[in-house]
Amino acid sequence: MNKSTFILKGNICYTETRDQLTVMDQGYLVCHEGISRGVYPVVPEKYRDLPVTDYHDLLIVPGMSDLHVHAPQYPFRGLGMDLELLDWLNTHTFPEESRYADPEYAEKAYRIFTEDLRKSATTRAAVFATIHIPATKVLMEQLDASELKTYVGKVNMDRNCTDTLRERDAEAALESTSEWLRETAGKYPNVRPILTPRFAPTCSGALLEGLGALQREYGLPVQSHLSENLSEINWVQELFPWSSCYGNVYEHYGLFGGEAKTVMAHCVHSSDREVKLMKNSGVYVAHCPQSNINLSSGIAPVRRYLDEGIPVGLGTDMAGGANMSMFRCIVDAIGVSKLYWRLVDQGSKPLSMEEAFYLATKGGGAFFGKVGSFEEGYEVDALVLDDSGMRSTKELSTRDRLERYLYLAEEYGRLAGKYVAGKKIL
Amino acid sequence: MNKSTFILKGNICYTETRDQLTVMDQGYLVCHEGISRGVYPVVPEKYRDLPVTDYHDLLIVPGMSDLHVHAPQYPFRGLGMDLELLDWLNTHTFPEESRYADPEYAEKAYRIFTEDLRKSATTRAAVFATIHIPATKVLMEQLDASELKTYVGKVNMDRNCTDTLRERDAEAALESTSEWLRETAGKYPNVRPILTPRFAPTCSGALLEGLGALQREYGLPVQSHLSENLSEINWVQELFPWSSCYGNVYEHYGLFGGEAKTVMAHCVHSSDREVKLMKNSGVYVAHCPQSNINLSSGIAPVRRYLDEGIPVGLGTDMAGGANMSMFRCIVDAIGVSKLYWRLVDQGSKPLSMEEAFYLATKGGGAFFGKVGSFEEGYEVDALVLDDSGMRSTKELSTRDRLERYLYLAEEYGRLAGKYVAGKKIL
């Protein structure tokens, strides 16, 4: 029998819709060749021969998708947190990313990132590398071996950055990107390439235009940054004076949704026009609450995006965010939504636990396909959560145990099992 | 030789002033009968016979003071986070606190709280119990045995709360409080009593007046809540229509600084008049950033309090806050100060890492005496931090290792040693 065909038993929680948790205590999750055949209170007759792994009283929840994470920034996580975006990039980010010109350095640094990511709650991730092809290949190889499912992007930037990270010109950048795509094609079953213009300020129009052509040629997805910081937005307006909004720059070059599946990180200060564009283009928002705190960017209006029907997931934005934990990311998303309600707009209801959990699982998972739920037909990414270290005198419902786990995961939680697309990796 | 006379060696960090970290790599902290004799690059001649504990490359920092923590709320930490203060009190807090009428329940529940607190970075704490004398004695006994240094308050409330937590009337409440003070006097060397009117809305004028008299009689310190939530503030104004501000209620009854050493939790929405009163009275602010997020209260203007010279420390406000970790509390204080700057007042500079670290150590420590620093004459509360789980390819300064530790403590840190007033407890 296929090793990805089995049943998991435990207290199962997942979301089908944004605002409701589906809970089945002592339920059976049926996985057939990596795909869910549903969750049942008793094993249906036709599945009774499948092997059952009984996790007893532990919680079983969908794996989480980190929609925005910079692998090369992992070595300086939790450092230099007293700066805003543009100063932080020049002081901390660009010098560190420059070191990845050396594949041996990349080998060592990415090893730590990959090992820690593998042990985390993340099963899928959209990952930024650097401009360097050899280092990006190292990252792809390591991530492939980790058995996580990821998108990895070789970064493009041909202006407004330190010399050591600037691609010579648009032509060289595009040639290099094509080379990277050719050389890695089909080599890493668990890793797919994603076009990654760093952000509009470091990309010439010619580069963005060429990337749009590559997108159409290869049918690639796209990731970048959007409207994170006020100075950044003003800068984009100066660099692309014809643009109606920051997002319009990407759109103009065919890198903003539509045929190009696109995820944009942050969207903290998007104008009405930009929000409309995001909505019409089906662009995903990677909401990165902790990074938006750390870099003093602000709070993204996530409630509005949800109300508009814009797809939203969560991102750690390592190392704008310091923590790899998607549990922490969920808690931060709830927290900033409360402060947004209190300080900015009392018409904007805070995110409930259920909603934030949805964003981390099914919300962000959608970028990867049918991922982030246990409904029939979904790929089985699953986490087994052991909350026995969270001692209490209270009897708790499974729903409440999940809420508590999110808040206390780093201090008292333990990941007791991890499955990606039906494969047990922890 | 006294067991509290020794030398600790390691990478020592502490603050003397609010905005500067003192770092001595491979320094020697000399502790004589629990009191610091200073930090030196080499052991001075006169101390050369003292035993040295060499922590090699680990960090040694002052112990942390949690200025506001509710012990009986520990069983529901991380739960019910979708409510504002007054609803949260009625739905979660009061039902749980009612269970402490049973000393056997208190024994079990406080055991978990005390054990977890002992393992945390907290060396000193100002703790709320409940209204119950037997349960409060249980807590004092357990905390005394933990060798942490704490203030514990039997709570007073004689109106506007569930029947099971209401003291019959002011007279009964005061009699009960006197009884508690008499019965526990001198019994618990590590625990001191603190007057604890829950907050103005649940205390009649007669009760507050009587507590003021008790304060003068026994020279006791005071802890309570102040201006946490807008509905709460309006309610206080209705209940005490003569008051010029919420703080004026406590002041009127002699429970607001001056001779009465006082700590007030939150101070999120204090009026100008109240801030002036706090300043003139020398009232300590227990800044509880995570609780203020979780209960959608808002963000306290800590920069202003510091500029005014008001003493400030940090509090977890367990279980308004879900995390016992003072490292997390520091990071949350930095985070909300950035959002305050971004969203409320661009004249209010965010807290630096150094400032927030100061608040958690020397800032809050001042409420307990000469505590929270390694300067000569300070009681030696010390934490030994092992950051070897925070793998990186970067060489970091000790200052940067401390910053990173604060951000990553729960995921990757390890407390390798803990000293309270010169006594090694971990």
Side-chain angles (χ1 to χ4, degrees):
Chain A
M1 192 178 291
N2 185 304
K3 275 166 70 178
S4 295
T5 298
F6 54 78
I7 293 173
L8 302 184
K9 185 182 178 207
N11 297 316
I12 297 174
C13 310
Y14 59 103
T15 52
E16 297 175 58
T17 59
R18 184 176 103 199
D19 47 8
Q20 207 179 345
L21 199 67
T22 302
V23 175
M24 189 171 292
D25 289 340
Q26 295 302 300
Y28 297 86
L29 165 60
V30 178
C31 177
H32 180 264
E33 296 186 356
I35 306 295
S36 173
R37 289 286 171 87
V39 175
Y40 304 92
V42 292
V43 180
E45 181 66 19
K46 60 183 168 180
Y47 301 127
R48 67 174 184 185
D49 294 333
L50 299 191
V52 176
T53 301
D54 188 345
Y55 283 109
H56 304 283
D57 195 40
L58 303 187
L59 305 176
I60 302 176
V61 304
M64 302 199 175
S65 291
D66 187 343
L67 278 194
H68 188 65
V69 49
H70 291 265
Q73 296 177 16
Y74 198 61
F76 66 90
R77 66 201 184 282
L79 292 174
M81 286 304 182
D82 294 339
L83 298 173
E84 271 195 89
L85 176 66
L86 301 180
D87 291 330
W88 176 81
L89 286 173
N90 288 315
T91 308
H92 294 283
T93 308
F94 292 158
E96 176 63 23
E97 291 197 8
S98 298
R99 301 181 71 181
Y100 292 78
D102 173 7
E104 281 185 44
Y105 180 76
E107 173 72 37
K108 279 188 290 190
Y110 282 147
R111 179 74 58 202
I112 297 172
F113 168 76
T114 305
E115 287 178 4
D116 284 355
L117 188 67
R118 190 169 193 274
K119 292 179 200 152
S120 79
T122 300
T123 55
R124 313 261 168 165
V127 185
F128 277 57
T130 60
I131 61 163
H132 313 96
I133 296 180
T136 303
K137 285 183 185 170
V138 165
L139 177 61
M140 293 172 85
E141 186 173 323
Q142 291 185 3
L143 282 171
D144 186 55
S146 78
E147 303 180 290
L148 303 168
K149 299 278 187 189
T150 55
Y151 284 113
V152 169
K154 175 200 132 31
V155 169
N156 286 116
M157 48 207 294
D158 67 346
R159 63 169 172 173
N160 293 325
C161 60
T162 177
D163 281 350
T164 47
L165 283 182
R166 186 163 52 233
E167 298 179 287
R168 200 179 59 241
D169 52 27
E171 196 181 353
L174 294 165
E175 178 43 46
S176 159
T177 303
S178 297
E179 182 187 330
W180 166 64
L181 290 169
R182 282 193 308 272
E183 291 183 358
T184 59
K187 279 189 77 170
Y188 308 113
N190 295 313
V191 183
R192 285 177 284 179
I194 184 167
L195 287 179
T196 307
R198 182 176 208 111
F199 67 153
T202 58
C203 298
S204 65
L207 173 54
L208 293 171
E209 184 153 353
L211 290 174
L214 275 180
Q215 191 286 318
R216 289 186 294 280
E217 181 182 348
Y218 288 87
L220 291 169
V222 177
Q223 62 182 353
S224 194
H225 300 86
L226 182 65
S227 296
E228 175 177 3
N229 171 288
L230 296 171
S231 308
E232 173 207 19
I233 293 170
N234 291 336
W235 193 18
V236 171
Q237 188 58 47
E238 285 167 26
L239 292 167
F240 301 92
W242 49 263
S243 63
S244 62
C245 61
Y246 188 165
N248 174 235
V249 174
Y250 298 120
E251 186 216 11
H252 178 80
Y253 296 109
L255 298 166
F256 203 67
E259 293 297 301
K261 186 169 68 171
T262 300
V263 58
M264 287 284 156
H266 306 304
C267 308
V268 174
H269 303 283
S270 293
S271 63
D272 287 349
R273 191 187 288 260
E274 187 162 279
V275 173
K276 196 170 167 193
L277 206 59
M278 289 154 60
K279 179 178 176 168
N280 291 340
S281 313
V283 163
Y284 281 73
V285 173
H287 174 44
C288 305
Q290 191 187 123
S291 170
N292 299 156
I293 295 171
N294 286 340
L295 298 179
S296 300
S297 303
I299 302 176
V302 169
R303 170 65 60 201
R304 177 178 181 190
Y305 297 150
L306 293 175
D307 287 348
E308 299 260 11
I310 293 172
V312 181
L314 300 182
T316 58
D317 191 25
M318 178 64 55
N323 299 104
M324 190 89 104
S325 165
M326 288 298 293
F327 302 119
R328 175 68 179 273
C329 197
I330 290 172
V331 168
D332 288 333
I334 296 169
V336 298
S337 77
K338 290 175 177 173
L339 291 178
Y340 191 85
W341 170 82
R342 169 89 277 153
L343 300 175
V344 181
D345 176 10
Q346 296 235 354
S348 179
K349 198 162 66 107
L351 295 180
S352 66
M353 182 278 274
E354 285 77 2
E355 288 175 315
F357 181 74
Y358 169 89
L359 295 182
T361 55
K362 194 171 173 179
F367 193 73
F368 298 85
K370 294 188 83 166
V371 169
S373 179
F374 293 146
E375 292 158 80
E376 196 167 344
Y378 273 69
E379 295 189 62
V380 175
D381 286 14
L383 308 172
V384 183
L385 309 182
D386 177 0
D387 62 353
S388 59
M390 302 171 188
R391 297 183 302 156
S392 179
T393 44
K394 276 181 86 75
E395 287 293 318
L396 298 182
S397 67
T398 296
R399 184 264 173 217
D400 284 357
R401 285 173 61 192
L402 175 61
E403 181 179 13
R404 184 181 61 174
Y405 196 95
L406 301 176
Y407 281 88
L408 305 185
E410 289 75 44
E411 276 179 289
Y412 298 105
R414 188 179 73 88
L415 195 57
K418 180 171 178 177
Y419 297 77
V420 183
K423 179 92 189 280
K424 186 174 193 321
I425 72 163
L426 279 184
Chain B
M1 195 177 289
N2 186 304
K3 274 166 69 179
S4 296
T5 297
F6 54 79
I7 293 172
L8 302 184
K9 185 183 177 205
N11 296 317
I12 298 173
C13 310
Y14 59 102
T15 52
E16 297 176 57
T17 58
R18 186 177 102 198
D19 47 9
Q20 206 179 346
L21 199 66
T22 302
V23 175
M24 190 171 293
D25 288 342
Q26 295 303 299
Y28 297 85
L29 165 60
V30 179
C31 177
H32 180 263
E33 295 185 357
I35 306 296
S36 172
R37 289 287 171 87
V39 175
Y40 303 92
V42 293
V43 180
E45 181 66 21
K46 59 184 168 180
Y47 301 128
R48 67 175 186 185
D49 292 335
L50 299 191
V52 176
T53 302
D54 189 345
Y55 283 109
H56 303 284
D57 195 40
L58 303 187
L59 304 176
I60 302 175
V61 304
M64 301 198 175
S65 291
D66 186 343
L67 278 193
H68 188 64
V69 49
H70 292 266
Q73 298 178 16
Y74 197 62
F76 67 90
R77 65 200 184 283
L79 293 173
M81 286 303 181
D82 293 338
L83 298 172
E84 270 196 90
L85 176 66
L86 301 179
D87 291 331
W88 177 80
L89 286 173
N90 287 314
T91 308
H92 294 283
T93 307
F94 292 159
E96 176 63 24
E97 290 197 8
S98 298
R99 301 181 72 182
Y100 291 78
D102 174 7
E104 281 185 43
Y105 180 77
E107 173 73 35
K108 279 188 290 191
Y110 282 147
R111 180 74 58 201
I112 297 171
F113 167 76
T114 305
E115 288 178 4
D116 283 356
L117 188 67
R118 189 169 193 275
K119 292 178 200 153
S120 79
T122 300
T123 54
R124 314 261 167 165
V127 185
F128 278 57
T130 61
I131 63 163
H132 313 97
I133 295 180
T136 303
K137 285 183 186 169
V138 165
L139 178 60
M140 293 171 86
E141 188 174 323
Q142 290 185 5
L143 281 172
D144 186 54
S146 78
E147 302 180 290
L148 302 168
K149 300 277 186 189
T150 55
Y151 283 112
V152 170
K154 175 199 136 29
V155 168
N156 286 117
M157 48 207 296
D158 67 346
R159 64 169 171 172
N160 293 326
C161 60
T162 177
D163 281 351
T164 47
L165 283 182
R166 187 164 50 236
E167 299 180 284
R168 199 178 62 243
D169 53 26
E171 196 182 354
L174 293 164
E175 178 44 45
S176 159
T177 303
S178 297
E179 183 188 330
W180 166 65
L181 290 169
R182 282 193 308 272
E183 291 183 358
T184 58
K187 279 189 76 171
Y188 308 110
N190 295 313
V191 183
R192 285 177 283 179
I194 183 166
L195 287 179
T196 307
R198 184 179 205 106
F199 66 154
T202 59
C203 299
S204 66
L207 173 54
L208 292 171
E209 183 152 355
L211 289 174
L214 276 181
Q215 191 286 318
R216 289 186 294 279
E217 183 183 348
Y218 289 86
L220 291 169
V222 177
Q223 64 181 352
S224 195
H225 300 86
L226 183 64
S227 296
E228 175 177 5
N229 172 287
L230 297 170
S231 309
E232 172 207 20
I233 293 170
N234 292 335
W235 194 17
V236 171
Q237 188 58 47
E238 285 166 25
L239 292 168
F240 301 92
W242 49 262
S243 63
S244 62
C245 60
Y246 188 165
N248 175 236
V249 174
Y250 298 120
E251 185 215 11
H252 177 80
Y253 296 110
L255 298 165
F256 202 69
E259 292 298 300
K261 186 170 67 172
T262 299
V263 58
M264 288 284 155
H266 306 305
C267 309
V268 174
H269 302 285
S270 293
S271 63
D272 287 348
R273 191 187 288 261
E274 187 162 279
V275 173
K276 195 170 168 192
L277 206 58
M278 289 154 61
K279 179 178 176 167
N280 292 340
S281 313
V283 164
Y284 281 73
V285 173
H287 174 43
C288 306
Q290 190 187 124
S291 170
N292 299 156
I293 295 171
N294 287 339
L295 298 178
S296 301
S297 303
I299 302 176
V302 170
R303 170 64 61 200
R304 177 178 181 190
Y305 297 151
L306 293 175
D307 287 347
E308 298 261 11
I310 293 171
V312 181
L314 300 183
T316 59
D317 190 27
M318 177 63 55
N323 299 103
M324 190 90 103
S325 165
M326 289 298 293
F327 301 119
R328 174 70 179 271
C329 198
I330 291 171
V331 169
D332 287 335
I334 297 169
V336 298
S337 77
K338 290 175 178 174
L339 291 178
Y340 191 85
W341 170 81
R342 168 90 276 151
L343 300 174
V344 181
D345 176 10
Q346 296 235 354
S348 180
K349 197 162 66 108
L351 295 179
S352 66
M353 181 279 273
E354 284 78 1
E355 288 175 315
F357 181 75
Y358 169 89
L359 295 182
T361 54
K362 193 171 174 179
F367 193 73
F368 298 86
K370 294 188 83 166
V371 169
S373 179
F374 292 146
E375 292 158 82
E376 194 166 346
Y378 273 69
E379 295 190 62
V380 174
D381 286 14
L383 308 172
V384 184
L385 309 182
D386 178 359
D387 61 354
S388 59
M390 303 172 187
R391 297 183 303 156
S392 178
T393 44
K394 276 181 86 76
E395 287 294 318
L396 298 181
S397 68
T398 296
R399 183 264 173 216
D400 284 356
R401 286 172 61 191
L402 176 61
E403 181 179 14
R404 182 181 63 174
Y405 196 95
L406 301 176
Y407 281 88
L408 304 185
E410 290 74 43
E411 276 179 287
Y412 298 104
R414 188 178 73 87
L415 196 58
K418 180 172 177 176
Y419 296 77
V420 183
K423 180 90 189 279
K424 186 175 194 320
I425 73 163
L426 278 184

